[in-house]
Amino acid sequence: QVHLAESGGGSVQAGGSLTLSCAATGPPDVSYCMAWFRQVPGKEREGVAAMDSDGRTSYGDSMKGRFSVSRDNEKNTLSLQINSLKPEDTAMYFCAARKTKPSWRLTCSVVGDQDYDYWGQGTQVAVSS
């Protein structure tokens, strides 16, 4: 089992920045895919960014530019920096992991949350105008 714990959420004003962190524990030492998703009540979960253990990244179509994902394999952590926050970024942000590379993808992706087997409890981000 992989246990994921998110942190770093909070209430910020529009235009500010936040860095979310996800700490992973449990075998394997390093999951191949780690990713961030976000969800607003009543809406489907939306992919933000993914990174594989070799450093390749993938972003959701509307996430390029203000979002930056990074990973520390030694510490088994995944981070998400969000710049120029907007009220529409308000959501619960979830960390997800997959132990192995999905055979149906060239690399880790946030196209579908079904690729991921492990999920954290989420960290809330609230952006006020």
Side-chain angles (χ1 to χ4, degrees), residues 53-121:
S53 55
D54 296 321
R56 286 179 289 262
T57 60
S58 175
Y59 290 88
D61 287 341
S62 62
M63 307 300 172
K64 297 173 185 176
R66 298 188 297 113
F67 295 82
S68 179
V69 65
S70 60
R71 183 168 173 170
D72 187 329
N73 288 335
E74 288 190 6
K75 296 181 179 179
N76 216 359
T77 58
L78 183 75
S79 297
L80 180 71
Q81 182 172 348
I82 315 172
N83 297 320
S84 302
L85 280 155
K86 302 177 180 180
E88 50 264 43
D89 293 323
T90 295
M92 185 72 80
Y93 285 74
F94 295 92
C95 179
R98 178 185 173 87
K99 292 183 179 181
T100 58
K101 178 183 178 297
S103 60
W104 53 93
R105 303 223 188 265
L106 293 176
T107 187
C108 307
S109 170
V110 290
V111 171
D113 60 6
Q114 67 271 19
D115 288 0
Y116 295 86
D117 302 312
Y118 302 99
W119 293 85
Q121 294 297 309

